[in-house]
Amino acid sequence: KQWYQRRVRGNKLKGVKSIVPMIHLSWNLARYARIHDAQLVTQIRHCLEGTLNRCKVTKERLLKEGVTIQFHGREEEEWTHYCEVCEVEVFNLLFVQNR
């Protein structure tokens, strides 16, 4: 948890913005837009493949460490989730603790 807090503070100091909106845009472009520019299609595909790969690696690592994973899903009008520590929108995988 400490490395994460250091990273969040460092990102705030450097003015690093969340990647979540770009990933969301890439998914929506892939789903709904007809793109005829081959280079743009390749870049979008690369972004989405990287996202899926990071999710897969994270899931495998958590399972290897014995962490229970629970699927939550998302409702049509459900609010966007934000990190309690850094207030950045979270995407795909949510790490929560039962209180």
Side-chain angles (χ1 to χ4, degrees):
K1 188 173 179 176
Q2 288 177 335
W3 67 268
Y4 174 75
Q5 290 173 341
R6 281 195 303 265
R7 182 174 173 191
V8 168
R9 272 184 257 144
N11 285 347
K12 277 189 174 182
L13 289 174
K14 295 176 188 174
V16 175
K17 302 293 183 189
S18 173
I19 189 77
V20 173
M22 185 56 68
I23 294 172
H24 187 68
L25 173 65
S26 297
W27 280 107
N28 282 333
L29 286 172
R31 286 177 69 189
Y32 302 116
R34 292 181 186 252
I35 302 170
H36 302 289
D37 181 356
Q39 185 178 6
L40 180 58
V41 169
T42 302
Q43 290 173 341
I44 292 171
R45 181 179 294 131
H46 179 73
C47 174
L48 299 180
E49 286 174 350
T51 301
L52 290 174
N53 188 41
R54 282 188 295 279
C55 293
K56 178 184 170 200
V57 168
T58 302
K59 181 180 176 184
E60 289 171 353
R61 184 175 175 191
L62 290 171
L63 290 173
K64 187 184 286 186
E65 292 180 13
V67 175
T68 304
I69 298 175
Q70 179 180 354
F71 178 75
H72 179 277
R74 185 171 173 141
E75 300 290 325
E76 181 88 18
E77 298 294 324
E78 186 174 350
W79 291 89
T80 303
H81 297 282
Y82 289 87
C83 176
E84 290 181 9
V85 176
C86 62
E87 300 176 7
V88 171
E89 182 180 359
V90 292
F91 174 76
N92 197 1
L93 301 175
L94 302 177
F95 298 96
V96 296
Q97 296 177 340
N98 292 330
R99 294 181 189 203

